[in-house]
Amino acid sequence: MRHRWLCLVLCGLWLSIGDGFAVAAPTDSDATAGEFSVDTGVFMAPDEVTPQQIPDLREVQRKADQEYVAAQVNLGLAYANGRGVVKDEHKAATWFKSAADQGDARAQTFLGVMYMNGRGVVKDEHKAMEWYQKAADQGDARAQTFLGAMYMDGRGVAKDEPTALAWYQKAADQGEAHAQVNLGLAYANGRGVAKDERKAMAWFQKTADQGYAAAQALLGAMYMEGRGVVKNERTALSWFQKAADQGYAAAQTLLGAMYMEGRGVGKDERTALSWFQKAADQGYAAAQALLGAMYMDGRGVAKDECTALLWFQNAAAQGYAAAQDNLGRMYVGGNCVAKDERTALAWFQKAVDQRYAAAQNNLGRMYVDGNCVAKDGHTAAEWFQKAADQGYAAAQDNLGRMYKDGRGVAKDEHKAMEWFQKAADRGYAAAQSNLGRMYMDGRGVAKDERKGMEWFQKAADRGYAAAQAFLGAMYMDGRGVTKDDRKAMEWFQKAADRGYAAAQFNLGRMYVDGHGVLQDDRTAMEWFQKAAAQGNAQAQAALGRMYVNGRGVPQNDRTAVEWYQKAADQGEAFAQVNLGWMYEQGRGVPQNDRMAMEWYQKAADQRYADAQVKLGWMYEQGRGVPQNDRTAAEWYRKSANQGVAGAQSNLGAMYLNGRGVAKDERVAAEWYQKAADQGYARAQFNLGMLYEQGHGVIKDERVAAEWFQKAADQGNAQAQVNLGAMYLNGRGVTKDECMAVAWWQKAADQGDAQAQFKLGVMYESGRCMAKNERAAREWWQKAADQGVADAQSNLGGMYMEGRGVAKDERMAVEWFRKAADQGEVHAQAHLGWMYLNGRGVVKDDRMVVVWFQKAADQGEAHAQTILGMMYATGRGVAKDERTAREWWQKAADQGNADAQNNLGLMYENGRGVPQDKRKAMEWYQKAADQGHAGAQTKLGQMQRDQK
């Protein structure tokens, strides 16, 4: 968050400050000013005691031995500091004790310090209190200051803030700088006295004007935060500068933070670094931690994680929580150290023991992810709660996520909203983005897309890439704002430039589709590659598709498979479906239906509708799995219920044919209708068929034609063929042969064999176009090559007669045979005729019988007549007049005059049937009525004979 490190150091300044005192670790980077506590562990020698003032220690020793109090005090200081003698704190304490016992206030103060810190004596805070009290009662200002600190913290005595304040006041009234500072801090923090920041300012000012560095630093902090005075960052900077110039580490650190953040001065990370260095070289932990952060991020200096590590270690060794937390992060990430989550956990724990919120948050994340600890959402939530309660925004955001997802806590979207709101109000961009999503989706709050946009905007304006990407998506989809592809592009670009993979992927999509930008496959590929390199599964899948289609790159199925595999391994359903398709088709990999099934199954298990329909198709076809219509129908239904038109159409077909489900034409029509309403051409065609035939719906050729029209307009060749037939016969539409030809032409141009055949018929008959046997032959050839039996039969006829092509009876036989083998009855009859007459083949009565038999079995009257003749004469088959009569009867019943005449002959002569002149005359009459000359002659003769 903004000015994070400046807040960090300021907070530390308020917690502890003094001449050489260390700045304590703050509890949160956003914390407000804390409270002062005196560290009496630092021994302070009075300024007047210097080596120059003790030129001859032998003389001092002599006088001390003679019970001169001043000599004893100075000799104690010499031993305490190792000045002119070997440092010996035990001897120092002994000489201080001698002087103190004689009532010397300075000695009593120093002896109190020795007991307070266990230097030269056994540590004893009660004895320290006794000696401070003796000196303070004599009016020693430093003793009064230390005594106030003991009462303030409850050390060696019951905590008593008013008494502490009284002692600070006594010392301050004597001009004791530490006491004045402590008194100022008491007023600033409201400890032992009503909070009064103006009075605090007055005490800080008084001390700062004396050149006391700690007071100057605190005065700068007051101006920095606008406490007791109008906020003025320039004035704050000037006071920090004064203290820093005296070598005061806390002020140097604050001054560096001002330069780093550009507050009260132009932003200058190099100058910031130099001030941090000065303070760090003094062993100041906060500065060391900041210096580590500068090296870690490469701010003001070349990025150097190993140097960062050293500075963090220095600060952490002093117990500085922020550095301990950063060390933990380095071990988690393996930055300049071997990745070691156990060591990371230990460092986080050290910082957590100081209630450092950032570490509590990081410890929570360790439990969320199960890093070196058992995954435990409940424990994670507890740590997030601790940090969140301290106002740590990142933890508040994480706690909001836990409540949103119900991880470690009972799911409660209202509570999630509350925590997101707290963090968002602190300017935490991630929470602002999450708050935006809650408003967009109406989770934990009334849905309000406009408000959602406002929060996304706040986060995006702070440079939060995820929010920028969301904004791009909102403008792309027109959610909460007017759809605007250009603005979508702008936001995607901002997030993509920050390395946000999802935005890079979406930017690639915009270039692929030419939305908000000129279509550019090469640029799209560049963005997909950037996102894919970060492991973005959608981008990896998109790269696979680009390679499959050869867009922006040379077409390469093998590379496509590699990218699909990467994305599929991450569980990206789109990639899994496409990888399955590659295995199904054998593109880029060996064809393998079983592997195709596995990938379709993975995607289908994610409820990915396109995979479900593919899985249904595999079960229906029995590819990669045993064929199972019931399972196929189940998968089609899953996909159809998600609105996939192809699945709805396929499910309609299952109901229509009773495959995997009970046959139900009405339900079939309903599913076709759903898919057709989505514009699915195949379903529109099938729905047209149902209306044309009256299956599952009331027969309505007009409605049938409408659905055929919709499908035909989308290029569905079957619909174009049927629509042509409707126009040819005037069914459901006004009869128009030219429109029929137009639709058949469209379908024929797509390679539809039936349309090609029908177009050949139109050319052959000259309907709605000039008769053109050559064109007819060409279209029949196309259809015949695709195996259309009628076209093959007609083509045989053209070769047989030399129409539209040079006469070629051998070719005629070939085409008749192709059609005849498919059961085309006319071709079978023609083939029998060719064998009967030896045209294009050697005469062969046996083959004549074979082919006429096939045609006769299909009810072809001419074939039945010839077959009867073959049986009557015993050609190609044993003579059998009874069988001959049966075949002639079948043909005669169909009105074949030759068969009727032959039946008359059989009844007249009693061949194969009992002789019956009356029946003979009946059959002759039928044939004669059709103009059969032989029958007319026979009928005349029989009538004359009767006379």
Side-chain angles (χ1 to χ4, degrees):
M1 45 193 68
R2 188 175 297 171
H3 313 311
R4 175 178 180 272
W5 283 109
L6 187 56
C7 292
L8 185 83
V9 182
L10 275 171
C11 182
L13 179 69
W14 288 107
L15 283 165
S16 176
I17 194 163
D19 189 359
F21 297 170
V23 176
T27 57
D28 180 38
S29 60
D30 291 329
T32 55
E35 297 182 352
F36 173 71
S37 62
V38 175
D39 182 355
T40 52
V42 176
F43 180 73
M44 293 168 34
D47 295 337
E48 69 270 18
V49 181
T50 66
Q52 288 77 20
Q53 292 174 307
I54 313 176
D56 188 350
L57 283 177
R58 287 175 298 179
E59 179 64 17
V60 174
Q61 180 75 54
R62 186 181 65 78
K63 288 187 176 182
D65 290 338
Q66 295 176 11
E67 302 294 329
Y68 280 96
V69 172
Q72 291 174 336
V73 171
N74 284 338
L75 194 58
L77 286 169
Y79 278 110
N81 295 296
R83 291 177 175 173
V85 293
V86 176
K87 184 174 182 176
D88 188 331
E89 292 182 334
H90 177 69
K91 284 186 178 180
T94 300
W95 286 112
F96 287 148
K97 178 73 163 58
S98 294
D101 286 341
Q102 295 182 64
D104 185 90
R106 291 185 308 153
Q108 291 168 339
T109 300
F110 293 145
L111 191 58
V113 169
M114 300 295 275
Y115 274 107
M116 187 68 217
N117 296 288
R119 295 173 63 179
V121 293
V122 176
K123 182 173 180 175
D124 189 331
E125 292 182 345
H126 292 288
K127 283 191 176 181
M129 271 293 298
E130 290 175 6
W131 287 112
Y132 288 151
Q133 186 73 54
K134 290 178 188 290
D137 288 342
Q138 295 187 65
D140 186 274
R142 289 181 185 250
Q144 292 169 338
T145 301
F146 284 130
L147 193 59
M150 298 294 277
Y151 275 107
M152 183 64 75
D153 296 336
R155 298 174 69 179
V157 66
K159 185 172 182 175
D160 186 339
E161 291 182 347
T163 299
L165 262 291
W167 284 112
Y168 285 154
Q169 187 71 53
K170 290 179 186 292
D173 289 341
Q174 295 187 64
E176 211 288 316
H178 279 84
Q180 291 173 334
V181 168
N182 286 356
L183 200 56
L185 281 167
Y187 278 108
N189 298 314
R191 293 190 65 183
V193 67
K195 186 172 182 177
D196 189 333
E197 292 182 338
R198 288 186 180 276
K199 283 189 179 179
M201 274 291 296
W203 282 111
F204 293 150
Q205 186 76 54
K206 185 180 298 235
T207 316
D209 289 340
Q210 298 176 51
Y212 188 61
Q216 292 170 335
L218 283 166
L219 199 58
M222 297 294 277
Y223 276 104
M224 185 75 241
E225 299 183 328
R227 297 179 64 178
V229 67
V230 177
K231 182 174 181 175
N232 190 321
E233 292 182 346
R234 287 186 179 277
T235 302
L237 187 79
S238 68
W239 282 112
F240 290 149
Q241 185 75 55
K242 290 180 190 293
D245 289 340
Q246 293 188 64
Y248 188 64
Q252 292 170 333
T253 305
L254 284 163
L255 194 58
M258 297 286 278
Y259 275 103
M260 183 170 70
E261 301 289 352
R263 298 183 69 179
V265 67
K267 185 172 182 177
D268 186 339
E269 292 181 342
R270 286 186 179 277
T271 300
L273 189 80
S274 69
W275 283 112
F276 292 149
Q277 187 74 56
K278 289 179 190 293
D281 289 341
Q282 295 184 63
Y284 192 65
Q288 292 171 335
L290 281 163
L291 202 55
M294 297 291 275
Y295 276 103
M296 191 69 195
D297 298 334
R299 297 180 64 181
V301 66
K303 184 180 172 96
D304 186 338
E305 292 181 345
C306 293
T307 300
L309 180 73
L310 293 174
W311 285 114
F312 287 146
Q313 287 171 329
N314 286 338
Q318 297 184 61
Y320 193 69
Q324 294 169 334
D325 178 61
N326 281 334
L327 267 184
R329 296 186 193 199
M330 293 194 80
Y331 277 102
V332 165
N335 302 106
C336 195
V337 289
K339 190 171 183 177
D340 186 340
E341 291 171 345
R342 189 172 298 281
T343 301
L345 191 69
W347 281 113
F348 287 145
Q349 190 65 56
K350 288 180 186 292
V352 158
D353 290 342
Q354 300 184 59
R355 295 186 65 252
Y356 188 64
Q360 292 170 332
N361 181 62
N362 285 330
L363 199 55
R365 294 183 64 177
M366 296 285 278
Y367 277 101
V368 164
D369 299 332
N371 290 343
C372 198
V373 290
K375 225 175 196 182
D376 187 339
H378 178 69
T379 303
E382 288 180 347
W383 283 114
F384 290 147
Q385 184 78 53
K386 291 179 189 293
D389 288 340
Q390 294 189 64
Y392 191 70
Q396 292 171 333
D397 179 61
N398 282 334
L399 194 56
R401 294 180 193 218
M402 300 295 275
Y403 275 108
K404 176 174 71 74
D405 300 330
R407 296 176 65 185
V409 291
K411 184 171 182 174
D412 188 332
E413 292 180 339
H414 292 290
K415 280 191 178 178
M417 275 293 295
E418 290 173 8
W419 285 112
F420 287 147
Q421 187 75 56
K422 289 179 189 291
D425 289 341
R426 298 179 72 86
Y428 193 68
Q432 292 171 333
S433 183
N434 284 330
L435 203 56
R437 293 197 69 173
M438 297 294 275
Y439 274 107
M440 291 302 298
D441 299 335
R443 299 180 63 181
V445 66
K447 184 171 183 176
D448 189 334
E449 292 186 343
R450 192 171 297 279
K451 212 165 213 178
M453 279 293 294
E454 289 174 5
W455 282 111
F456 282 141
Q457 187 75 52
K458 289 179 189 290
D461 289 341
R462 297 179 72 86
Y464 189 65
Q468 293 171 333
F470 275 123
L471 271 184
M474 304 295 278
Y475 277 107
M476 183 171 66
D477 299 334
R479 288 187 64 194
V481 289
T482 303
K483 181 177 169 71
D484 189 330
D485 285 340
R486 286 189 179 277
K487 282 191 177 178
M489 274 292 296
E490 289 173 9
W491 284 112
F492 284 146
Q493 186 75 55
K494 288 179 189 289
D497 289 340
R498 298 178 73 87
Y500 193 69
Q504 293 170 334
F505 163 69
N506 280 326
L507 205 55
R509 286 178 59 197
M510 299 293 275
Y511 275 104
V512 163
D513 299 331
H515 289 166
V517 67
L518 290 175
Q519 199 278 336
D520 187 338
D521 285 343
R522 286 186 180 277
T523 302
M525 278 294 296
E526 291 173 6
W527 285 113
F528 286 150
Q529 285 167 336
K530 287 179 189 290
Q534 296 188 64
N536 182 276
Q538 289 179 296
Q540 292 169 338
L543 279 179
R545 183 170 55 182
M546 296 295 275
Y547 275 103
V548 163
N549 298 319
R551 294 186 63 179
V553 287
Q555 200 280 337
N556 190 320
D557 284 343
R558 188 177 297 277
T559 303
V561 167
E562 291 172 1
W563 283 113
Y564 282 146
Q565 185 76 55
K566 290 178 188 290
D569 287 340
Q570 293 191 66
E572 215 292 318
F574 172 80
Q576 291 172 335
V577 169
N578 281 285
L579 190 57
W581 184 81
M582 298 296 274
Y583 275 105
E584 181 190 329
Q585 301 297 317
R587 290 184 60 175
V589 288
Q591 199 282 334
N592 189 324
D593 284 341
R594 184 183 58 78
M595 286 296 293
M597 273 294 298
E598 287 182 12
W599 286 112
Y600 290 150
Q601 186 73 56
K602 289 179 187 292
D605 289 341
Q606 297 186 61
R607 297 189 69 252
Y608 193 71
D610 289 343
Q612 293 170 335
V613 68
K614 288 296 294 180
L615 209 54
W617 187 84
M618 296 293 276
Y619 274 104
E620 183 181 359
Q621 301 299 316
R623 294 187 59 177
V625 287
Q627 198 281 337
N628 190 320
D629 284 341
R630 186 178 297 278
T631 303
E634 289 172 1
W635 283 112
Y636 285 149
R637 189 181 306 281
K638 291 178 189 290
S639 182
N641 286 335
Q642 293 192 64
V644 174
Q648 292 169 337
S649 180
N650 288 356
L651 192 56
M654 300 296 274
Y655 274 103
L656 184 65
N657 299 306
R659 295 185 60 188
V661 291
K663 183 172 182 174
D664 191 326
E665 293 179 343
R666 183 185 58 80
V667 174
E670 290 173 0
W671 282 113
Y672 282 143
Q673 183 77 53
K674 290 179 187 291
D677 287 340
Q678 293 191 64
Y680 193 67
R682 185 183 303 169
Q684 291 171 335
F685 164 73
N686 285 329
L687 193 58
M689 291 288 291
L690 291 180
Y691 274 103
E692 183 181 26
Q693 299 164 9
H695 291 164
V697 292
I698 296 172
K699 183 173 181 177
D700 190 329
E701 292 183 337
R702 182 185 58 79
V703 175
E706 289 175 1
W707 283 114
F708 288 148
Q709 180 79 51
K710 290 179 187 291
D713 287 339
Q714 293 190 67
N716 183 278
Q718 289 177 293
Q720 291 169 340
V721 170
N722 283 19
L723 191 58
M726 301 289 274
Y727 274 107
L728 182 71
N729 300 304
R731 295 170 53 204
V733 292
T734 303
K735 183 172 182 176
D736 188 334
E737 292 184 344
C738 292
M739 282 296 290
V741 168
W743 282 113
W744 287 336
Q745 183 73 56
K746 289 180 185 292
D749 289 340
Q750 292 187 67
D752 186 89
Q754 286 299 321
Q756 292 168 338
F757 167 70
K758 291 178 181 296
L759 208 52
V761 171
M762 298 302 276
Y763 273 108
E764 198 267 346
S765 62
R767 297 171 69 178
C768 194
M769 61 182 68
K771 185 172 182 176
N772 188 331
E773 291 182 337
R774 186 176 297 277
R777 195 270 306 166
E778 290 173 357
W779 282 113
W780 282 338
Q781 181 76 55
K782 292 179 187 291
D785 288 339
Q786 293 191 68
V788 176
D790 287 340
Q792 294 168 336
S793 181
N794 287 359
L795 200 57
M798 295 196 87
Y799 276 106
M800 182 176 70
E801 299 171 8
R803 292 188 299 110
V805 66
K807 185 173 181 177
D808 188 333
E809 292 181 339
R810 288 185 180 277
M811 283 294 292
V813 168
E814 286 184 18
W815 285 112
F816 284 146
R817 192 182 305 280
K818 289 180 187 288
D821 286 340
Q822 294 190 69
E824 207 288 317
V825 64
H826 298 101
Q828 292 170 337
H830 277 114
L831 201 53
W833 185 86
M834 299 295 272
Y835 276 108
L836 181 66
N837 296 288
R839 304 278 294 274
V841 290
V842 177
K843 275 187 178 184
D844 188 333
D845 287 344
R846 185 182 58 80
M847 291 304 294
V848 172
V849 171
V850 168
W851 286 111
F852 278 132
Q853 180 78 55
K854 291 180 183 290
D857 287 339
Q858 293 192 67
E860 212 286 322
H862 180 69
Q864 292 170 337
T865 301
I866 299 296
L867 191 59
M869 182 270 293
M870 299 299 280
Y871 275 103
T873 59
R875 292 179 58 183
V877 68
K879 185 174 180 178
D880 186 339
E881 290 183 336
R882 185 178 298 279
T883 302
R885 198 272 305 167
E886 290 174 359
W887 282 115
W888 283 334
Q889 182 72 55
K890 292 179 186 291
D893 289 340
Q894 294 186 67
N896 184 278
D898 286 332
Q900 292 168 338
N901 179 66
N902 291 343
L903 273 180
L905 287 170
M906 296 195 83
Y907 277 107
E908 180 184 0
N909 299 310
R911 295 175 58 186
V913 293
Q915 187 178 46
D916 188 330
K917 300 287 187 177
R918 184 182 56 78
K919 280 191 177 182
M921 288 188 67
E922 288 176 5
W923 284 113
Y924 284 143
Q925 185 67 58
K926 291 179 185 292
D929 289 342
Q930 295 188 67
H932 191 282
Q936 290 170 342
T937 301
K938 280 290 188 179
L939 187 59
Q941 289 176 352
M942 291 188 75
Q943 289 173 344
R944 285 194 298 272
D945 291 343
Q946 285 180 347
K947 293 178 181 179

